[in-house]
Short mmCIF file of all heavy atoms in Angstrom, two decimals:
data_model
loop_
_atom_site.label_atom_id
_atom_site.label_comp_id
_atom_site.label_asym_id
_atom_site.label_seq_id
_atom_site.Cartn_x
_atom_site.Cartn_y
_atom_site.Cartn_z
N ASN A 22 145.46 86.31 57.37
CA ASN A 22 144.78 85.03 57.74
C ASN A 22 143.72 85.12 58.80
O ASN A 22 143.25 84.17 59.41
CB ASN A 22 145.83 83.95 58.22
CG ASN A 22 146.69 83.47 57.12
OD1 ASN A 22 146.33 83.49 55.92
ND2 ASN A 22 147.92 83.08 57.46
N ALA A 23 143.32 86.43 59.16
CA ALA A 23 142.15 86.58 60.07
C ALA A 23 140.86 86.20 59.35
O ALA A 23 140.74 86.45 58.08
CB ALA A 23 142.11 88.03 60.53
N ILE A 24 139.94 85.62 60.09
CA ILE A 24 138.68 85.08 59.47
C ILE A 24 137.54 85.92 59.91
O ILE A 24 137.32 86.32 60.94
CB ILE A 24 138.49 83.62 59.96
CG1 ILE A 24 139.74 82.82 59.65
CG2 ILE A 24 137.28 83.02 59.30
CD1 ILE A 24 140.17 82.67 58.30
N SER A 25 136.69 86.17 58.88
CA SER A 25 135.32 86.73 59.12
C SER A 25 134.27 85.83 58.54
O SER A 25 134.50 85.33 57.46
CB SER A 25 135.23 88.13 58.40
OG SER A 25 136.20 89.06 58.85
N SER A 26 133.15 85.67 59.24
CA SER A 26 132.15 84.73 58.80
C SER A 26 130.79 85.42 58.79
O SER A 26 130.51 86.28 59.62
CB SER A 26 132.12 83.49 59.70
OG SER A 26 131.80 83.86 61.04
N TYR A 27 129.95 85.03 57.87
CA TYR A 27 128.61 85.58 57.71
C TYR A 27 127.64 84.39 57.35
O TYR A 27 127.99 83.49 56.57
CB TYR A 27 128.60 86.56 56.54
CG TYR A 27 129.78 87.60 56.59
CD1 TYR A 27 130.97 87.30 55.99
CD2 TYR A 27 129.67 88.76 57.38
CE1 TYR A 27 132.07 88.16 56.11
CE2 TYR A 27 130.71 89.67 57.45
CZ TYR A 27 131.89 89.35 56.82
OH TYR A 27 132.98 90.20 56.93
N GLN A 28 126.47 84.49 57.94
CA GLN A 28 125.43 83.50 57.69
C GLN A 28 124.17 84.19 57.16
O GLN A 28 123.71 85.00 57.80
CB GLN A 28 125.11 82.65 58.96
CG GLN A 28 126.33 81.94 59.57
CD GLN A 28 127.19 82.80 60.45
OE1 GLN A 28 126.66 83.62 61.16
NE2 GLN A 28 128.50 82.63 60.36
N ILE A 29 123.74 83.66 55.98
CA ILE A 29 122.50 84.18 55.46
C ILE A 29 121.45 83.12 55.62
O ILE A 29 121.49 82.07 54.98
CB ILE A 29 122.70 84.55 53.94
CG1 ILE A 29 123.78 85.63 53.76
CG2 ILE A 29 121.41 85.04 53.33
CD1 ILE A 29 124.03 85.98 52.30
N GLN A 30 120.42 83.41 56.46
CA GLN A 30 119.35 82.53 56.56
C GLN A 30 118.42 82.53 55.38
O GLN A 30 117.95 81.57 54.88
CB GLN A 30 118.47 82.83 57.85
CG GLN A 30 119.17 82.43 59.09
CD GLN A 30 120.25 83.36 59.60
OE1 GLN A 30 120.25 84.56 59.35
NE2 GLN A 30 121.29 82.76 60.21
N ARG A 31 118.19 83.81 54.84
CA ARG A 31 117.29 83.93 53.69
C ARG A 31 117.57 85.25 52.98
O ARG A 31 117.80 86.28 53.59
CB ARG A 31 115.85 83.86 54.15
CG ARG A 31 114.84 84.03 53.00
CD ARG A 31 113.41 84.14 53.46
NE ARG A 31 112.57 84.53 52.36
CZ ARG A 31 111.32 85.01 52.56
NH1 ARG A 31 110.86 85.18 53.75
NH2 ARG A 31 110.57 85.38 51.51
N LEU A 32 117.66 85.20 51.67
CA LEU A 32 117.81 86.34 50.80
C LEU A 32 116.79 86.19 49.62
O LEU A 32 116.83 85.12 48.99
CB LEU A 32 119.22 86.51 50.20
CG LEU A 32 119.28 87.53 49.10
CD1 LEU A 32 118.96 88.96 49.61
CD2 LEU A 32 120.79 87.50 48.53
N SER A 33 115.92 87.12 49.51
CA SER A 33 114.90 87.04 48.44
C SER A 33 114.88 88.37 47.58
O SER A 33 114.79 89.45 48.21
CB SER A 33 113.55 86.79 49.00
OG SER A 33 112.56 86.86 48.04
N LEU A 34 115.00 88.24 46.30
CA LEU A 34 114.87 89.39 45.37
C LEU A 34 113.83 88.97 44.37
O LEU A 34 114.05 88.06 43.55
CB LEU A 34 116.21 89.70 44.69
CG LEU A 34 117.44 90.06 45.57
CD1 LEU A 34 118.69 90.16 44.71
CD2 LEU A 34 117.17 91.24 46.35
N ALA A 35 112.70 89.68 44.41
CA ALA A 35 111.59 89.25 43.53
C ALA A 35 111.14 90.47 42.69
O ALA A 35 110.65 91.50 43.18
CB ALA A 35 110.39 88.73 44.30
N ASP A 36 111.34 90.34 41.35
CA ASP A 36 110.86 91.47 40.43
C ASP A 36 109.44 91.38 40.27
O ASP A 36 108.77 90.35 40.06
CB ASP A 36 111.58 91.31 39.07
CG ASP A 36 112.90 92.09 39.04
OD1 ASP A 36 113.36 92.50 40.10
OD2 ASP A 36 113.44 92.29 37.94
N SER A 37 108.80 92.63 40.17
CA SER A 37 107.39 92.72 39.92
C SER A 37 107.19 94.03 39.10
O SER A 37 107.18 95.13 39.74
CB SER A 37 106.48 92.72 41.17
OG SER A 37 105.17 92.91 40.87
N GLY A 38 107.16 93.99 37.80
CA GLY A 38 107.01 95.13 37.02
C GLY A 38 108.31 95.92 37.06
O GLY A 38 109.38 95.37 36.73
N ASP A 39 108.35 97.16 37.47
CA ASP A 39 109.48 97.98 37.56
C ASP A 39 110.01 98.00 38.93
O ASP A 39 110.92 98.83 39.26
CB ASP A 39 109.22 99.42 37.00
CG ASP A 39 108.13 100.11 37.89
OD1 ASP A 39 107.54 99.40 38.63
OD2 ASP A 39 107.98 101.29 37.66
N LYS A 40 109.62 97.08 39.82
CA LYS A 40 110.08 97.10 41.25
C LYS A 40 110.59 95.73 41.64
O LYS A 40 110.24 94.68 41.07
CB LYS A 40 108.97 97.47 42.19
CG LYS A 40 108.37 98.80 42.00
CD LYS A 40 109.24 99.90 42.47
CE LYS A 40 108.58 101.27 42.37
NZ LYS A 40 109.46 102.42 42.80
N THR A 41 111.52 95.75 42.62
CA THR A 41 112.08 94.50 43.15
C THR A 41 111.87 94.54 44.70
O THR A 41 112.20 95.50 45.37
CB THR A 41 113.55 94.29 42.92
OG1 THR A 41 113.78 94.10 41.50
CG2 THR A 41 114.10 93.03 43.62
N THR A 42 111.14 93.56 45.15
CA THR A 42 110.97 93.37 46.59
C THR A 42 112.18 92.66 47.23
O THR A 42 112.63 91.56 46.76
CB THR A 42 109.75 92.54 46.88
OG1 THR A 42 108.59 93.19 46.31
CG2 THR A 42 109.50 92.42 48.41
N VAL A 43 112.79 93.30 48.24
CA VAL A 43 113.99 92.82 48.87
C VAL A 43 113.71 92.40 50.25
O VAL A 43 113.09 93.11 51.02
CB VAL A 43 115.05 93.96 48.80
CG1 VAL A 43 116.36 93.51 49.47
CG2 VAL A 43 115.36 94.40 47.42
N TYR A 44 114.31 91.18 50.56
CA TYR A 44 114.31 90.73 52.00
C TYR A 44 115.60 89.97 52.24
O TYR A 44 115.98 89.02 51.51
CB TYR A 44 113.10 89.80 52.28
CG TYR A 44 113.15 89.39 53.69
CD1 TYR A 44 112.69 90.22 54.74
CD2 TYR A 44 113.59 88.08 54.03
CE1 TYR A 44 112.72 89.84 56.04
CE2 TYR A 44 113.63 87.65 55.31
CZ TYR A 44 113.19 88.54 56.34
OH TYR A 44 113.22 88.14 57.71
N LEU A 45 116.25 90.37 53.31
CA LEU A 45 117.50 89.74 53.74
C LEU A 45 117.51 89.50 55.23
O LEU A 45 117.25 90.48 56.02
CB LEU A 45 118.71 90.55 53.33
CG LEU A 45 120.10 90.12 53.86
CD1 LEU A 45 120.52 88.79 53.39
CD2 LEU A 45 121.16 91.22 53.58
N ASN A 46 117.80 88.31 55.67
CA ASN A 46 117.92 87.96 57.11
C ASN A 46 119.19 87.22 57.21
O ASN A 46 119.38 86.09 56.70
CB ASN A 46 116.69 87.03 57.52
CG ASN A 46 116.75 86.75 58.96
OD1 ASN A 46 117.68 87.13 59.74
ND2 ASN A 46 115.68 86.17 59.53
N MET A 47 120.18 87.81 57.99
CA MET A 47 121.51 87.17 58.13
C MET A 47 122.09 87.53 59.47
O MET A 47 121.60 88.32 60.18
CB MET A 47 122.37 87.71 56.95
CG MET A 47 122.72 89.20 56.98
SD MET A 47 123.94 89.68 55.76
CE MET A 47 125.43 88.77 56.28
N ARG A 48 123.27 86.92 59.70
CA ARG A 48 124.11 87.31 60.88
C ARG A 48 125.42 87.74 60.38
O ARG A 48 126.09 87.03 59.59
CB ARG A 48 124.22 86.05 61.86
CG ARG A 48 122.83 85.63 62.36
CD ARG A 48 123.01 84.73 63.60
NE ARG A 48 123.59 85.41 64.71
CZ ARG A 48 122.86 86.12 65.60
NH1 ARG A 48 121.61 86.25 65.42
NH2 ARG A 48 123.51 86.68 66.59
N LEU A 49 125.84 88.91 60.86
CA LEU A 49 127.10 89.53 60.48
C LEU A 49 127.99 89.47 61.75
O LEU A 49 127.82 90.22 62.64
CB LEU A 49 126.93 90.90 59.99
CG LEU A 49 128.13 91.78 59.70
CD1 LEU A 49 128.89 91.22 58.50
CD2 LEU A 49 127.72 93.23 59.53
#
């Protein structure tokens, strides 16, 4: 019953051709 919390302000995965641009901003 121990609690862990995570907040994701923004997650972006954008495909362009054979690549994906990744951006993640969060609090762990």
Side-chain angles (χ1 to χ4, degrees):
N22 292 333
I24 306 300
S25 301
S26 62
Y27 314 89
Q28 299 83 38
I29 299 177
Q30 284 77 34
R31 181 188 168 196
L32 169 62
S33 174
L34 303 174
D36 269 14
S37 177
D39 59 350
K40 300 288 184 181
T41 295
T42 301
V43 178
Y44 180 77
L45 170 64
N46 185 353
M47 67 175 294
R48 297 194 68 83
L49 173 68

